[in-house]
Amino acid sequence: MNGRKLLLAAGALAALSLPTAFSRALAQVNDYPNRPVTLIVPFQAGVSADLLFRGLAEAASPHLGQPIIVDNKPGGSATLGPAQMAATAKPDGYTLAQIAIPIFRVPYMQKASYDPVKDFSYIILVGGYTLGAAVKADSPFKTWKDVVAFAKANPGKFTYATIGPATTNAIATELMSRHEGIKLTHVPTKGGGESIAAVLGGHMNMMVESPAWGPLVASGQMRALFMLGNERSAKWPDVPSMKDLGFPFSFDSPFGIAGPKGMDPAVIKKIHDAFKKAYDDPKVLPLYDKFDFSRRYLNTEDYNKFVPEMNAAEKDALEKVGLAKKD
């Protein structure tokens, strides 16, 4: 057989094998899922994000037709688990991860093993954090305008606590300060409890945090000053939002679910639909209120449009507050 005939024979063989390969891939998609699905939660077991995602996983499982097993992988500022998934997991829909805001923030602060836009298959956005500031109940600072006026007269003397300079809370407050042309002094603490003690003890003027301060506001020991979201909180309807204060930005650290890059759209749709039903489940709804998460949903198409915007916003914010790494 000459070379031309060999090539024709090889081509015919390849053409015959294509339908078989296509049929096999189609069968795998149609058969999905035929075993349990793992959902990586990049936080410790028992914290509010873990409890919300366990509720979502439990509610989504019957709609997906298989158990969804939560795998806690904290570390790397909530990037370790998703980064490992991006590097090692097959894009077959059996390994998913919660995607929290540090996924977009960390690569602009230090070297990262992943590209937040290109290395994940984004499936569904399911919420955000309720974040806000609180002062002692008898504080002379009744409004944000009071803070601005004091800071202009006393640069650097107004103090506020967060759990770290790279948190949404600290970045938001710094951007607010710069927008107003004032200087506040940030004092990092080890957690909400330490921040509360510092504010109640008169050692700091304000704390900016997810509502660890909520019970203290309810008991009358603290007063909520403003919320970092664009809309007022249903739980604290009298507390102004970023929009109310006239800021052109807002912060709620949105989070969702993604898999490794390259997932089949049909598999993505099955996962999206199961988690959308879980998102709307009457048993899941109270978890958002209980743990002070905002209800925020985007379908797969809209989530994928939102990701580059969020990524660019994180880069811009970090550059403005001086936390972006130097190239």
Side-chain angles (χ1 to χ4, degrees):
M1 190 179 288
N2 60 31
R4 176 178 167 77
K5 288 182 179 179
L6 275 171
L7 282 172
L8 287 171
L13 259 168
L16 285 170
S17 68
L18 278 174
T20 305
F22 176 78
S23 299
R24 194 160 47 240
L26 185 63
Q28 288 174 350
V29 170
N30 290 335
D31 195 35
Y32 175 85
N34 58 23
R35 64 180 190 271
V37 173
T38 296
L39 174 62
I40 296 168
V41 172
F43 299 100
Q44 292 179 336
V47 302
S48 58
D50 171 67
L51 295 173
L52 174 65
F53 272 83
R54 285 181 185 275
L56 285 165
E58 184 178 349
S61 291
H63 303 294
L64 204 56
Q66 287 287 341
I68 301 174
I69 301 167
V70 171
D71 181 13
N72 295 97
K73 286 189 176 180
S77 299
T79 67
L80 178 63
Q84 287 181 348
M85 176 190 73
T88 63
K90 294 179 181 178
D92 54 11
Y94 289 99
T95 306
L96 310 172
Q98 177 196 358
I99 301 297
I101 199 70
I103 280 288
F104 303 95
R105 187 171 295 159
V106 166
Y108 292 112
M109 299 177 66
Q110 63 191 52
K111 187 176 180 181
S113 63
Y114 62 89
D115 183 308
V117 177
K118 298 177 181 178
D119 288 343
F120 299 95
S121 295
Y122 289 94
I123 299 169
I124 182 172
L125 188 81
V126 292
Y129 284 82
T130 299
L131 305 169
V135 296
K136 196 175 178 182
D138 60 0
S139 168
F141 303 103
K142 309 294 184 186
T143 66
W144 171 248
K145 286 185 178 180
D146 293 337
V147 175
V148 173
F150 177 84
K152 284 184 175 179
N154 304 274
K157 291 189 177 180
F158 184 93
T159 56
Y160 72 95
T162 79
I163 59 172
T167 61
T168 297
N169 311 314
I171 292 169
T173 310
E174 181 62 23
L175 287 175
M176 291 170 69
S177 303
R178 291 176 183 236
H179 186 84
E180 299 282 11
I182 59 175
K183 172 66 177 175
L184 307 182
T185 296
H186 177 220
V187 183
T189 66
K190 295 178 181 178
E194 185 177 329
S195 298
I196 287 170
V199 172
L200 290 180
H203 309 298
M204 274 184 266
N205 299 118
M206 180 177 76
M207 65 179 289
V208 188
E209 181 63 86
S210 56
W213 42 258
L216 284 302
V217 170
S219 68
Q221 294 175 267
M222 297 185 81
R223 183 175 65 255
L225 203 62
F226 56 82
M227 305 302 293
L228 293 180
N230 217 22
E231 302 295 332
R232 294 198 179 202
S233 167
K235 192 176 285 189
W236 299 283
D238 297 329
V239 181
S241 67
M242 291 289 97
K243 184 177 180 180
D244 294 326
L245 296 178
F247 289 108
F249 43 68
S250 63
F251 305 87
D252 70 349
S253 291
F255 52 77
I257 296 169
K261 68 178 179 181
M263 287 178 60
D264 190 288
V267 171
I268 288 175
K269 186 178 187 310
K270 286 185 178 182
I271 297 167
H272 166 274
D273 292 351
F275 275 99
K276 177 58 168 68
K277 289 175 182 176
Y279 176 83
D280 293 327
D281 193 301
K283 292 180 181 178
V284 171
L285 292 175
L287 296 177
Y288 281 84
D289 182 64
K290 180 178 180 180
F291 299 118
D292 297 309
F293 291 113
S294 59
R295 297 272 297 166
R296 189 171 181 183
Y297 161 73
L298 290 177
N299 63 26
T300 301
E301 181 181 0
D302 291 338
Y303 193 10
N304 278 277
K305 290 177 182 176
F306 177 58
V307 161
E309 297 172 4
M310 181 165 49
N311 190 56
E314 283 298 314
K315 180 177 184 290
D316 181 61
L318 290 168
E319 287 175 347
K320 284 180 177 176
V321 301
L323 291 175
K325 69 178 186 289
K326 307 298 181 185
D327 293 327

